[in-house]
Amino acid sequence: AQKITQTQPGMFVQEKEAVTLDCTYDTSDQSYGLFWYKQPSSGEMIFLIYQGSYDEQNATEGRYSLNFQKARKSANLVISASQLGDSAMYFCALGKYNNNDMRFGAGTRLTVKP
Amino acid sequence: NAGVMQNPRHLVRRRGQEARLRCSPMKGHSHVYWYRQLPEEGLKFMVYLQKENIIDESGMPKERFSAEFPKEGPSILRIQQVVRGDSAAYFCASSPRGQPNRSGNTIYFGEGSWLTVV
């Protein structure tokens, strides 16, 4: 069974500072992917970043980077230079490599303060 | 940019009525997923479909809920005899056929359909 955990219901960060959103997972699969999505107040789900279980380097996409620690089964999202527009819900998700299924964490609500 | 299209965006139903939510996947995508998001909760997987087949419905409630993805037309999530507890946002997502790609074969979400049962 796959399980994904986000332990931070809410986080606050000052504008222009960096913030780390935690995500841990549990899976018996050897091949899997980890995803982060952003859900602003408007409701849509926006794909941010992906990390494959066999990727040796941490994924980066602009201001987003994924701190992947496979042995610890964690895939934390780091947002650098926070902007007011980053205020949203952030979801971590675990997917099987052939993407037949994805499991989502409960989400973390990030608030960026001016 | 023809992404995943869901309609209606907002739907109000009285208790006991039926709700039908539609999802048109991205062009070229044959895999469709439905998720439910209850207030202040994360996304919960409901069902995964390919054209004309239900692959995994382990997240679907046993009664009143059904889903289909016909050969032609959108995927439909049907909720019969709705109750207040069905009020939620329902998200559809789609993905291309199985091959890994640079983006990790991610799934793409629609903007969601908000169901309110009064």
Side-chain angles (χ1 to χ4, degrees):
Chain A
Q2 298 186 105
K3 184 179 178 182
I4 192 136
T5 304
Q6 293 178 256
T7 58
Q8 307 155 313
M11 288 282 287
F12 291 88
V13 65
Q14 207 66 36
E15 192 179 7
K16 299 181 184 179
E17 292 185 350
V19 63
T20 298
L21 306 183
D22 294 342
C23 174
T24 58
Y25 61 93
D26 189 18
T27 180
S28 56
D29 293 324
Q30 293 301 310
S31 300
Y32 53 88
L34 293 148
F35 305 78
W36 277 92
Y37 287 85
K38 172 184 178 181
Q39 185 181 40
S41 57
S42 51
E44 71 270 28
M45 295 287 286
I46 303 168
F47 168 72
L48 294 178
I49 195 167
Y50 163 82
Q51 179 86 42
S53 59
Y54 291 117
D55 293 342
E56 294 185 353
Q57 292 194 341
N58 287 342
T60 60
E61 290 284 350
R63 293 185 300 109
Y64 304 108
S65 61
L66 204 152
N67 183 3
F68 181 47
Q69 298 187 41
K70 192 172 181 179
R72 297 179 61 182
K73 292 190 174 179
S74 73
N76 299 338
L77 176 71
V78 180
I79 305 174
S80 62
S82 298
Q83 302 172 356
L84 295 178
D86 293 335
S87 294
M89 281 289 285
Y90 288 82
F91 292 98
C92 181
L94 172 66
K96 294 182 178 181
Y97 196 56
N98 62 3
N99 205 32
N100 283 345
D101 188 7
M102 286 179 70
R103 304 292 174 173
F104 283 78
T108 296
R109 184 175 296 280
L110 176 67
T111 302
V112 180
K113 295 181 175 180
Chain B
N1 180 18
V4 179
M5 304 300 293
Q6 287 188 248
N7 70 85
R9 290 295 311 279
H10 300 277
L11 181 65
V12 179
R13 284 288 178 265
R14 295 186 184 280
R15 281 178 293 174
Q17 291 184 319
E18 178 179 283
R20 286 195 183 195
L21 309 177
R22 297 174 189 78
C23 170
S24 296
M26 284 182 72
K27 186 177 181 181
H29 288 192
S30 57
H31 300 222
V32 165
Y33 313 78
W34 284 95
Y35 289 82
R36 176 164 62 173
Q37 184 179 30
L38 295 170
E40 303 304 319
E41 293 187 22
L43 289 171
K44 302 290 186 185
F45 168 77
M46 298 182 74
V47 62
Y48 160 52
L49 311 102
Q50 293 182 18
K51 285 283 188 181
E52 300 184 277
N53 287 305
I54 297 174
I55 307 301
D56 181 355
E57 57 181 346
S58 58
M60 286 277 272
K62 296 288 184 251
E63 297 177 346
R64 303 186 297 107
F65 284 72
S66 63
E68 62 178 12
F69 189 19
K71 186 176 181 181
E72 302 290 339
S75 175
I76 306 287
L77 179 68
R78 182 183 293 111
I79 311 171
Q80 297 177 303
Q81 300 177 333
V82 296
V83 301
R84 287 213 171 132
D86 297 333
S87 295
Y90 292 84
F91 284 89
C92 172
S94 72
S95 69
R97 271 190 79 88
Q99 299 302 316
N101 57 38
R102 184 176 175 277
S103 298
N105 197 28
T106 191
I107 63 175
Y108 298 87
F109 281 85
E111 294 183 329
S113 291
W114 269 257
L115 171 66
T116 301
V117 180
V118 296

